[in-house]
Short mmCIF file of all heavy atoms in Angstrom, two decimals:
data_model
loop_
_atom_site.label_atom_id
_atom_site.label_comp_id
_atom_site.label_asym_id
_atom_site.label_seq_id
_atom_site.Cartn_x
_atom_site.Cartn_y
_atom_site.Cartn_z
N VAL A 88 -62.67 233.90 -18.55
CA VAL A 88 -61.46 233.30 -19.12
C VAL A 88 -60.79 232.45 -18.05
O VAL A 88 -60.48 232.93 -16.96
CB VAL A 88 -60.49 234.39 -19.60
CG1 VAL A 88 -59.21 233.76 -20.12
CG2 VAL A 88 -61.14 235.24 -20.68
N PRO A 89 -60.56 231.17 -18.33
CA PRO A 89 -59.90 230.31 -17.34
C PRO A 89 -58.52 230.84 -16.98
O PRO A 89 -57.85 231.48 -17.81
CB PRO A 89 -59.81 228.96 -18.06
CG PRO A 89 -60.80 229.03 -19.17
CD PRO A 89 -60.88 230.46 -19.57
N LYS A 90 -58.10 230.56 -15.78
CA LYS A 90 -56.80 231.04 -15.31
C LYS A 90 -55.68 230.50 -16.18
O LYS A 90 -54.73 231.24 -16.51
CB LYS A 90 -56.59 230.63 -13.85
CG LYS A 90 -55.28 231.16 -13.28
CD LYS A 90 -55.13 230.81 -11.81
CE LYS A 90 -53.81 231.35 -11.25
NZ LYS A 90 -53.64 231.02 -9.82
N TRP A 91 -55.75 229.22 -16.56
CA TRP A 91 -54.68 228.63 -17.37
C TRP A 91 -54.53 229.38 -18.69
O TRP A 91 -53.41 229.56 -19.19
CB TRP A 91 -54.95 227.15 -17.65
CG TRP A 91 -56.06 226.88 -18.62
CD1 TRP A 91 -57.36 226.61 -18.34
CD2 TRP A 91 -55.96 226.88 -20.06
NE1 TRP A 91 -58.09 226.44 -19.50
CE2 TRP A 91 -57.25 226.60 -20.56
CE3 TRP A 91 -54.92 227.09 -20.96
CZ2 TRP A 91 -57.53 226.53 -21.93
CZ3 TRP A 91 -55.19 227.03 -22.33
CH2 TRP A 91 -56.48 226.75 -22.80
N GLU A 92 -55.67 229.84 -19.25
CA GLU A 92 -55.62 230.54 -20.53
C GLU A 92 -54.97 231.91 -20.39
O GLU A 92 -54.17 232.32 -21.23
CB GLU A 92 -57.04 230.68 -21.10
CG GLU A 92 -57.07 231.33 -22.47
CD GLU A 92 -58.45 231.29 -23.10
OE1 GLU A 92 -59.24 230.37 -22.77
OE2 GLU A 92 -58.74 232.17 -23.92
N SER A 93 -55.32 232.62 -19.32
CA SER A 93 -54.70 233.92 -19.08
C SER A 93 -53.19 233.79 -18.90
O SER A 93 -52.41 234.57 -19.44
CB SER A 93 -55.32 234.58 -17.84
OG SER A 93 -56.69 234.82 -18.01
N VAL A 94 -52.79 232.77 -18.14
CA VAL A 94 -51.36 232.54 -17.91
C VAL A 94 -50.67 232.20 -19.23
O VAL A 94 -49.58 232.71 -19.53
CB VAL A 94 -51.16 231.41 -16.89
CG1 VAL A 94 -49.70 231.02 -16.80
CG2 VAL A 94 -51.68 231.84 -15.52
N ALA A 95 -51.31 231.35 -20.03
CA ALA A 95 -50.71 230.93 -21.30
C ALA A 95 -50.58 232.12 -22.26
O ALA A 95 -49.54 232.29 -22.92
CB ALA A 95 -51.55 229.83 -21.94
N ARG A 96 -51.60 232.94 -22.34
CA ARG A 96 -51.55 234.11 -23.23
C ARG A 96 -50.44 235.07 -22.80
O ARG A 96 -49.73 235.62 -23.65
CB ARG A 96 -52.89 234.82 -23.25
CG ARG A 96 -53.98 234.07 -24.00
CD ARG A 96 -55.30 234.84 -24.01
NE ARG A 96 -56.37 234.06 -24.60
CZ ARG A 96 -56.60 233.97 -25.90
NH1 ARG A 96 -55.83 234.64 -26.74
NH2 ARG A 96 -57.61 233.24 -26.36
N ASP A 97 -50.32 235.29 -21.50
CA ASP A 97 -49.26 236.17 -21.01
C ASP A 97 -47.89 235.62 -21.36
O ASP A 97 -46.98 236.36 -21.74
CB ASP A 97 -49.39 236.35 -19.50
CG ASP A 97 -50.59 237.18 -19.10
OD1 ASP A 97 -51.15 237.88 -19.97
OD2 ASP A 97 -51.01 237.11 -17.92
N GLN A 98 -47.75 234.30 -21.23
CA GLN A 98 -46.47 233.66 -21.54
C GLN A 98 -46.13 233.83 -23.02
O GLN A 98 -44.98 234.14 -23.38
CB GLN A 98 -46.54 232.18 -21.17
CG GLN A 98 -45.22 231.43 -21.32
CD GLN A 98 -45.34 229.97 -20.88
OE1 GLN A 98 -46.44 229.47 -20.63
NE2 GLN A 98 -44.21 229.30 -20.80
N VAL A 99 -47.12 233.63 -23.88
CA VAL A 99 -46.91 233.78 -25.32
C VAL A 99 -46.57 235.23 -25.66
O VAL A 99 -45.64 235.51 -26.43
CB VAL A 99 -48.16 233.32 -26.09
CG1 VAL A 99 -48.04 233.66 -27.57
CG2 VAL A 99 -48.38 231.82 -25.92
N ARG A 100 -47.32 236.15 -25.09
CA ARG A 100 -47.11 237.59 -25.38
C ARG A 100 -45.68 238.02 -25.01
O ARG A 100 -45.01 238.70 -25.79
CB ARG A 100 -48.14 238.42 -24.62
CG ARG A 100 -48.09 239.91 -24.94
CD ARG A 100 -49.11 240.69 -24.12
NE ARG A 100 -50.47 240.26 -24.42
CZ ARG A 100 -51.22 239.52 -23.61
NH1 ARG A 100 -50.73 239.12 -22.43
NH2 ARG A 100 -52.44 239.17 -23.95
N GLY A 134 -41.89 230.13 -24.69
CA GLY A 134 -43.11 230.84 -25.07
C GLY A 134 -44.34 229.96 -25.13
O GLY A 134 -45.44 230.40 -24.82
N PHE A 240 -51.01 231.60 -29.45
CA PHE A 240 -51.61 230.94 -28.28
C PHE A 240 -52.18 229.57 -28.67
O PHE A 240 -52.16 228.63 -27.87
CB PHE A 240 -52.71 231.83 -27.71
CG PHE A 240 -53.69 231.10 -26.83
CD1 PHE A 240 -53.35 230.71 -25.54
CD2 PHE A 240 -54.96 230.79 -27.29
CE1 PHE A 240 -54.25 230.02 -24.74
CE2 PHE A 240 -55.87 230.11 -26.50
CZ PHE A 240 -55.51 229.73 -25.22
N HIS A 243 -49.78 226.90 -28.06
CA HIS A 243 -49.32 226.69 -26.69
C HIS A 243 -49.67 225.28 -26.24
O HIS A 243 -50.70 224.72 -26.64
CB HIS A 243 -49.97 227.72 -25.77
CG HIS A 243 -49.38 227.77 -24.40
ND1 HIS A 243 -49.74 226.86 -23.41
CD2 HIS A 243 -48.48 228.61 -23.82
CE1 HIS A 243 -49.08 227.15 -22.30
NE2 HIS A 243 -48.31 228.20 -22.52
#
Side-chain angles (χ1 to χ4, degrees):
V88 177
K90 183 177 180 180
W91 72 264
E92 183 172 333
S93 298
V94 172
R96 287 181 186 277
D97 290 343
Q98 185 177 10
V99 172
R100 185 182 298 106
F240 161 75
H243 191 279

